[in-house]
Amino acid sequence: MTQPYISDADKAERAAILAKYTPQDIFDAEAEMMEDGVTGVAVTAPETVTPYAPLTSTVTGVTAVTDFGGYEGAATLDALHEFLGRFIAYPTPESADAHALWIVHAHLVEEFENTPRIAFLSPEPGSGKSRSMELTEALVPRPVLSVNVSPSYIFRKISDEAGLPTLLIDECDAIFTGGKNDSSEELRGLLNSGYRRGATAGRVSIKGKELVAEEWPSFAAVALAGLNTLPDTIMTRSVVIRMKRRRKDQKVEAYRRRIIGPDAELIRERVAQWADSIRQHIGTKYPPLPNAIQDRDADVWEPLIGIADEAGGTWPERSRAAALALLEAAKDREASLGIRLLSDIRTVFTEDRITSIDLVMRLVQMEDAPWASLKGEELSARYMAFLLSKYEIAPKPVRINGRVQKGYQKSWFEDSWARYLPEMPTGLPSPENR
């Protein structure tokens, strides 16, 4: 017979009661219970009991208590991760972990303050972006897979009474690479605002002969896929997975919805069931994050790391490793021209002062920099001053070698370097000592 569950408090109370009796009393009481077919019970007695009084034992039906929460969470994530890996050739293991965690997050999106976007991007077609979106569609709740969608369509889907959708926008590069227009800017604003719970977007609609101001909800989980890159305001709100073409030695199964669909549905139902089991408390937890994950990055990764911590197993460590790896990869993407200029000036500025002409000359001579050919022309001192002006840095008369010329002092750059550039690698000589 299975031993019933006895709490620590019950054990302590039982020990205090049994201490009042002689071993013979205890033996007689247990022998009596054995004759009645009773085992593994908690023995209680009134506080007024006197030594050597007969014991009164009460048998209470106890349901076996087993906590499968942590095990089930880790096992569910492992099954989801394995299923995705059958069909998608991820560029890194961390990318696969992030994708699995994001799918679970889509089942719990209403419980979080923020919903990170996930963006599958690649430099060339045929890199697995659309396949990633197809698998995501099969595993998330109420998916809406669209190509070249209009903002009005998305607003209406988010407001659907059937429930909050998971928006899957493929070929999103076509929306943002054609230059700024009303539609692309409206969609960008929707994707930006919908990242935070309770967010709305104001619109004016025509009802009869009147213009009526309306607030449309914009909060929803969003997955995107496209070529190259996305607007910075979307990138900073996204888990970015840089997809690559599959190597010859990378083998994946062919994905056929009519064949694999039932398997995907079983995984989706399992994820949904586990998500429901943690729904009531997952949004109240604030998981500890690595020191390198702060501000907007913390908003993006907190839900995914919180899910991993709830799952247990190897997932807490893997989620943090994935966050650090993908954030580091995102920083390596092509910087804006202004950031690149600040970085290259820090490299070539080896003295306290320099003239504008000498600084431009050093920049143009950098082989791996764009300054020798900007739209077919070399960088000029005037254009350099224009790029630096948004960082509140401007050329001024400086005395160098007894002559006063237009130029810069190194101290004028230090604040911008500290704010916009990563720290210089430790253990390497500074530019002036190279």
Side-chain angles (χ1 to χ4, degrees):
M1 179 177 179
T2 303
Q3 291 286 343
Y5 175 79
I6 302 177
S7 69
D8 291 339
D10 291 337
K11 292 177 182 178
E13 182 180 0
R14 183 176 187 272
I17 293 172
L18 293 179
K20 300 179 180 180
Y21 300 94
T22 67
Q24 183 62 43
D25 293 328
I26 297 173
F27 177 80
D28 292 340
E30 290 183 343
E32 182 180 348
M33 288 188 290
M34 290 293 291
E35 291 176 358
D36 294 337
V38 179
T39 61
V41 298
V43 180
T44 59
E47 294 181 356
T48 58
V49 69
T50 58
Y52 308 107
L55 281 172
T56 301
S57 61
T58 303
V59 179
T60 303
V62 180
T63 302
V65 178
T66 308
D67 181 10
F68 289 108
Y71 169 79
E72 178 60 21
T76 297
L77 273 173
D78 288 342
L80 174 60
H81 181 274
E82 181 181 357
F83 181 78
L84 291 169
R86 288 170 53 190
F87 309 101
I88 302 173
Y90 290 99
T92 63
E94 293 82 6
S95 300
D97 291 346
H99 189 192
L101 289 168
W102 190 90
I103 287 173
V104 178
H105 134 275
H107 287 264
L108 295 163
V109 64
E110 299 96 332
E111 313 306 324
F112 296 114
E113 186 68 22
N114 303 301
T115 168
R117 283 71 178 92
I118 189 168
F120 299 95
L121 305 176
S122 73
E124 298 291 341
S127 301
K129 301 183 302 298
S130 295
R131 177 56 43 81
S132 299
M133 295 290 275
E134 288 175 346
L135 267 296
T136 303
E137 179 190 17
L139 296 167
V140 297
R142 296 175 294 281
V144 178
L145 179 61
S146 304
V147 177
N148 197 20
V149 295
S150 68
S152 59
Y153 172 82
I154 294 180
F155 279 127
R156 283 164 175 76
K157 291 302 295 184
I158 294 175
S159 303
D160 194 336
E161 294 181 357
L164 199 62
T166 303
L167 301 176
L168 311 171
I169 306 176
D170 202 357
E171 299 182 13
C172 60
D173 53 290
I175 301 173
F176 298 110
T177 57
K180 291 185 177 182
N181 55 62
D182 291 343
S183 180
S184 66
E185 288 303 297
E186 194 172 10
L187 181 58
R188 186 202 309 236
L190 184 154
L191 295 177
N192 289 344
S193 66
Y195 153 86
R196 189 171 297 278
R197 185 172 61 187
T200 60
R203 292 293 180 270
V204 175
S205 62
I206 301 176
K207 294 186 176 180
K209 297 182 179 180
E210 296 183 358
L211 297 178
V212 180
E214 297 180 338
E215 296 291 331
W216 289 78
S218 58
F219 179 74
V222 180
L224 306 115
L227 294 174
N228 300 318
T229 190
L230 296 171
D232 284 345
T233 53
I234 297 177
M235 293 285 281
T236 57
R237 292 169 168 82
S238 301
V239 174
V240 180
I241 297 180
R242 298 283 183 178
M243 300 297 288
K244 300 178 181 179
R245 282 190 178 176
R246 180 161 48 95
R247 298 192 312 266
K248 297 290 192 272
D249 60 338
Q250 285 183 297
K251 305 297 182 182
V252 295
E253 298 179 32
Y255 178 72
R256 299 290 182 270
R257 182 181 302 181
R258 65 182 185 277
I259 299 174
I260 307 300
D263 291 345
E265 180 61 19
L266 290 176
I267 295 292
R268 191 199 65 78
E269 289 180 356
R270 182 173 177 178
V271 170
Q273 289 175 4
W274 179 61
D276 286 340
S277 73
I278 64 175
R279 185 177 302 278
Q280 291 186 351
H281 60 270
I282 187 65
T284 63
K285 295 191 174 183
Y286 299 93
L289 304 178
N291 292 334
I293 303 179
Q294 299 180 2
D295 303 326
R296 179 62 58 76
D297 294 337
D299 292 341
V300 168
W301 280 95
E302 186 177 87
L304 306 190
I305 292 177
I307 290 170
D309 285 354
E310 189 69 24
T314 61
W315 284 96
E317 181 180 355
R318 288 164 62 179
S319 66
R320 288 164 174 83
L324 293 172
L326 294 182
L327 288 173
E328 185 64 28
K331 292 177 182 177
D332 291 339
R333 71 180 185 270
E334 185 178 355
S336 68
L337 200 59
I339 296 297
R340 179 63 190 266
L341 180 60
L342 285 176
S343 179
D344 288 346
I345 288 176
R346 185 171 68 173
T347 300
V348 302
F349 210 144
T350 58
E351 54 273 283
D352 292 332
R353 302 179 182 189
I354 189 172
T355 66
S356 298
I357 294 175
D358 287 343
L359 182 55
V360 167
M361 186 179 301
R362 293 183 187 182
L363 292 169
V364 169
Q365 290 174 349
M366 297 180 70
E367 293 184 357
D368 59 345
W371 313 118
S373 179
L374 287 172
K375 296 183 179 180
E377 298 182 0
E378 288 187 356
L379 176 70
S380 65
R382 182 185 298 275
Y383 189 53
M384 179 177 67
F386 169 75
L387 292 174
L388 291 174
S389 63
K390 63 180 178 181
Y391 306 106
E392 300 181 356
I393 302 172
K396 297 177 183 178
V398 294
R399 184 175 294 276
I400 302 176
N401 297 328
R403 297 179 57 191
V404 176
Q405 304 177 65
K406 278 289 189 74
Y408 300 87
Q409 290 187 20
K410 192 173 186 178
S411 60
W412 301 346
F413 291 87
E414 289 176 349
D415 182 69
S416 294
W417 287 341
R419 294 178 184 275
Y420 297 103
L421 302 182
E423 294 182 2
M424 296 288 287
T426 58
L428 295 178
S430 58
E432 59 265 27
N433 295 327
R434 289 178 183 171

